[in-house]
């Protein structure tokens, strides 16, 4: 006899108060009093968010009899001991419009299971059934349900009963309920769909075609996972927004309205390229982190931080492949790809945190550092996404070059997938390193010691040269210059002050003071409000022009407000550092370099 599943029912019950009502029926509660808990974090986003703080009410019953329910810690409750089935009923506040949250108002309902479904502690392996109910009328008459959860007796995109094999799977299927625009396509012989919510006149046929091309490319690289029989992109379109969260059979994405192509629009605009890159990133995660994950995540401990030094493997390597696969699929050109790599290099070299932290340390401390950015983050923290992607690039090029093209990172990833992914075993902390060595036959210990566990700058210039690509470095020519391209100005770049500025609610504020730069030496601090440079008004909008009036070596006076007090700082301007990168195909390459390049950028 199979065990009775845990039965959940979720109703978007009060749109004005933003409440979901959830009931959970537990057929065989633990004899000493069943404990239920709400996760502290959601897989894929490494920050303790304490979703239990959104619990507005919670009670337990056996039939009509109220049971005592005692709160035992910040996210768990224990019901009175009981030998018959019990029901937990809770109301949860849902007003977080992010891919990791839950949100309900008169326009739609969205939730991640981690935010709304109590976990039956000790019985997490049991199957779960979920009845998704419509909101109270009159709202929701044209709403549909989009989720990758398998339907038990619900119509396609309809309300009704769904199921999952266990709690981990239950919370891996976000659900969007609203007036949805749905496109369907096939990739690798598997049905795929995209469900879009928000005001948009997107060219759905084009998006489906591009996503099909992209997904095929990924399937070709690592092969179809045995349990992948469907996939869904959930997309929320906002006036301004960007982000995504990966899941095993779906992903939740947010983009800006202008990112998507409308009917009749052709060509590859930068914002659509960015959107496709996001889709590519989350789709690659379906292998790299959803099925193949750090051993320390098998199983997930959702009560507290789960530390691993491997996030750079799961986010960095994914970031390397997100754009590489776009290029391989033909959706972007080789030049477009090199431009993306140039902007990533620029971001890495502009942040001095790379001298303070290794990517392994950054991964381990993601919970308290990378995910809790503050004024000092760029000086103290290295991004395991961006530097991680450059490590992946360097590892790929090193293996290709030093094995005369016989091996590559593709092969390393395939071997990792076979060993740690398909087996469900999880990757040990040095797993990638040992597979990279055994696949390539190279001694890569120094590479990992220097660039992964150490803070060394990657040997990019040399590697690119060996692959017939020239890496150029130049000074930043304006505040919005992100690199990737040659300078767009023939004027000399402005001298350097070493701080970033942005306009917020009508005030021009210092956001970052770069370590060891002129602003830091003078005492200018994050949060200072710009007033004047040498007695003439200074703003975020005019700072480039104003600085161009001076030269490196000049001493100038900055006036700022700090806590309403006017302060003056004497600053000696210096020459702008060459921290902006762009890449170019080498016209004077050797045949060998050209051969290497065409096998890498095939
Ligand atoms: Zn990611």
């Amino acid at each position: 006899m199979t065990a009775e599943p845990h039965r959940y029912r979720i109703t978007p019950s009060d749109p004005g108060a933003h409440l979901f009502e959830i009931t959970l029926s537990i057929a065989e509660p633990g004899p000493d009093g069943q404990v239920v808990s709400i996760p502290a974090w959601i897989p894929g986003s490494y920050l303790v968010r304490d979703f239990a703080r959104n619990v507005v009410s919670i009670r337990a019953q056996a039939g009509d009899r109220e049971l005592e329910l005692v709160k035992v810690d910040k996210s768990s409750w224990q019901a009175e001991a009981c030998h018959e089935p019990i029901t937990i009923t809770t109301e949860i506040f849902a007003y977080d419009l992010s891919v990791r949250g839950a949100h309900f108002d008169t326009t739609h309902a969205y939730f991640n299971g981690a935010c709304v479904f109590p976990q039956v502690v000790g019985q997490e392996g049991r199957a779960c059934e979920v009845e998704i109910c419509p909101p109270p009328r009159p709202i929701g008459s044209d709403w549909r349900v989009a989720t990758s959860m398998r339907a038990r007796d619900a119509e396609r995109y309809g309300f009704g009963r769904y199921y999952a094999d266990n709690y981990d799977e239950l919370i891996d299927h976000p659900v969007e309920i609203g007036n949805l625009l749905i496109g369907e396509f096939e990739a690798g012989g598997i049905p795929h769909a995209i469900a879009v919510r928000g005001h948009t006149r997107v060219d759905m046929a084009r998006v489906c075609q591009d996503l099909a091309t992209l997904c095929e490319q990924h399937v070709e690289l690592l092969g179809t996972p045995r349990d992948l029989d469907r996939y869904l992109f959930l997309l929320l379109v906002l006036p301004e927004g960007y982000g995504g969260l990966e899941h095993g059979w779906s992903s939740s994405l947010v983009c800006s309205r202008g990112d998507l192509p409308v009917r009749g629009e052709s060509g590859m605009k930068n914002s659509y390229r960015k959107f496709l890159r996001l889709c590519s990133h989350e789709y690659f995660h379906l292998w790299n982190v959803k099925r193949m994950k750090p051993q320390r995540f098998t199983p997930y401990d959702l009560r507290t931080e789960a530390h691993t030094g491997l996030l750079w493997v799961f986010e960095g390597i994914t970031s390397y492949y997100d754009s590489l696969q776009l290029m391989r699929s033909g959706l972007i050109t080789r030049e477009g790809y090199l431009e993306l790599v140039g902007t990533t290099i620029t971001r890495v070299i502009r942040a001095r945190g790379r001298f303070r932290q290794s990517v392994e340390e950054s991964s381990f401390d993601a919970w308290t550092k990378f995910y809790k950015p503050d004024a000092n983050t760029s000086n103290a923290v290295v991004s395991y996404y961006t530097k991680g992607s450059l490590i992946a690039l360097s590892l790929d090029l090193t293996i290709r070059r030093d094995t005369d093209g016989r091996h590559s990172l593709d092969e390393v990833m395939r071997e990792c997938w076979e060993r740690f992914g398909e087996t469900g075993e999880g990757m040990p902390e040095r797993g990638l390193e040992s597979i990279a060595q055994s696949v390539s036959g190279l001694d890569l210990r120094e590479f990992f010691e220097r660039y992964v566990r150490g803070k060394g700058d990657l040997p990019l210039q040399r590697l690119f040269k060996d692959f017939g690509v020239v890496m150029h470095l130049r000074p930043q020519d304006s505040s919005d210059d992100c690199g990737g391209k040659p300078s767009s100005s023939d004027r000399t770049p402005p001298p350097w002050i070493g701080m970033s500025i942005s306009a917020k609610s009508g005030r021009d504020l210092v956001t970052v003071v770069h370590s060891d730069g002129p602003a830091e030496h003078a005492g200018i601090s994050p949060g200072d409000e710009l007033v004047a440079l040498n007695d003439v008004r200074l703003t975020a909008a005019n700072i480039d022009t104003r600085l161009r009036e001076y030269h490196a070596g000049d001493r100038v006076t900055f006036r700022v407000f700090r806590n309403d007090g006017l302060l003056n700082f004497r600053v000696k301007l210096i020459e702008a550092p060459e921290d902006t990168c762009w890449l170019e195909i080498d016209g004077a390459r050797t045949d060998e370099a050209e051969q290497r390049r065409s096998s890498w950028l095939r």
Side-chain angles (χ1 to χ4, degrees), residues 46 285 288-289 292-298 306-318 358-367 384-385 388 391 413 416 420 425-434 448 452-453:
Y46 307 106
H285 270 318
N288 199 33
V289 95
M292 174 168 74
K293 50 182 84 130
Q295 234 165 40
R296 290 189 179 163
F297 288 175
T298 47
H307 296 287
T308 167
L310 286 177
L311 292 184
W312 77 269
V313 169
F314 293 94
E315 292 301 345
I317 295 184
T318 300
S358 70
V359 290
E360 190 174 87
E361 290 165 336
S362 178
S363 300
F364 195 89
D365 282 335
W367 306 83
Y384 51 78
Y385 282 84
I391 293 175
M413 292 309 287
C416 285
F420 310 127
E425 207 177 278
M427 182 184 277
E429 292 292 296
R430 299 264 170 115
L432 180 90
E433 183 171 350
S434 69
F448 280 83
V452 174
R453 286 184 282 285

Side-chain angles (χ1 to χ4, degrees), residues 447-492:
F447 181 97
F448 280 83
E449 209 47 60
R450 195 178 281 187
Y451 308 122
V452 174
R453 286 184 282 285
K455 300 161 195 136
D457 267 341
L458 292 153
L460 293 167
Q461 210 124 22
R462 173 80 237 172
L463 283 167
F464 282 126
K465 184 166 189 293
D466 293 339
F467 281 76
V469 172
V470 190
M471 175 173 154
H472 300 276
L473 288 172
R474 60 172 176 81
Q476 180 172 7
D477 61 23
S478 65
S479 309
D480 54 8
D481 174 11
C482 312
K485 295 174 184 165
S487 172
S488 56
S489 154
D490 45 15
R491 291 183 299 170
T492 11

Side-chain angles (χ1 to χ4, degrees), residues 307-435:
H307 296 287
T308 167
L310 286 177
L311 292 184
W312 77 269
V313 169
F314 293 94
E315 292 301 345
I317 295 184
T318 300
S319 300
Y320 173 53
Y321 278 104
D322 66 25
S323 41
L324 185 66
Q325 291 284 76
L326 268 187
M327 191 265 312
R328 286 173 170 177
S329 71
L331 287 165
I332 64 171
T333 60
R334 197 175 57 168
E335 287 69 22
Y337 171 68
L338 291 178
E339 183 187 329
L340 291 175
V341 178
T343 58
T344 302
I345 297 173
T346 303
R347 284 172 66 185
V348 171
I349 57 187
R350 280 185 191 168
R352 284 146 199 253
R354 74 186 195 283
F355 300 127
R356 297 290 180 92
Q357 205 189 31
S358 70
V359 290
E360 190 174 87
E361 290 165 336
S362 178
S363 300
F364 195 89
D365 282 335
W367 306 83
T368 48
K369 293 196 170 185
F370 186 78
Y371 266 93
K372 289 188 177 172
D374 60 25
N376 202 39
T377 297
S378 99
N379 292 325
V381 174
V382 66
S383 161
Y384 51 78
Y385 282 84
T386 50
K387 186 170 178 194
S389 79
L390 298 184
I391 293 175
L393 166 81
S394 305
L395 185 60
D396 194 13
L397 298 190
T398 302
I399 294 174
R400 286 171 185 274
R401 182 191 60 193
D402 296 351
T403 65
D404 293 322
R406 287 191 308 279
H407 304 289
S408 67
L409 187 63
D410 292 353
E411 223 182 312
V412 173
M413 292 309 287
R414 276 195 284 267
E415 181 68 21
C416 285
W417 168 243
E418 233 168 75
R419 277 283 304 281
F420 310 127
E422 291 204 291
T423 57
E425 207 177 278
M427 182 184 277
E429 292 292 296
R430 299 264 170 115
L432 180 90
E433 183 171 350
S434 69
I435 297 282

Side-chain angles (χ1 to χ4, degrees), residues 28-83:
E28 295 164 75
D32 303 326
Q34 181 61 52
V35 175
V36 295
S37 74
I38 305 259
W41 59 282
I42 179 170
S45 187
Y46 307 106
L47 177 68
V48 169
R49 294 177 195 274
D50 289 327
F51 295 119
R53 71 199 161 88
N54 293 318
V55 171
V56 171
S57 71
I58 185 163
R59 64 197 173 105
Q61 287 167 295
D64 290 335
R65 184 164 66 91
E66 290 290 323
L67 297 178
E68 203 184 345
L69 189 68
V70 179
K71 192 157 189 193
V72 289
D73 62 35
K74 64 176 180 176
S75 38
S76 311
W77 292 260
Q78 185 166 26
E80 183 185 332
C82 179
H83 298 286

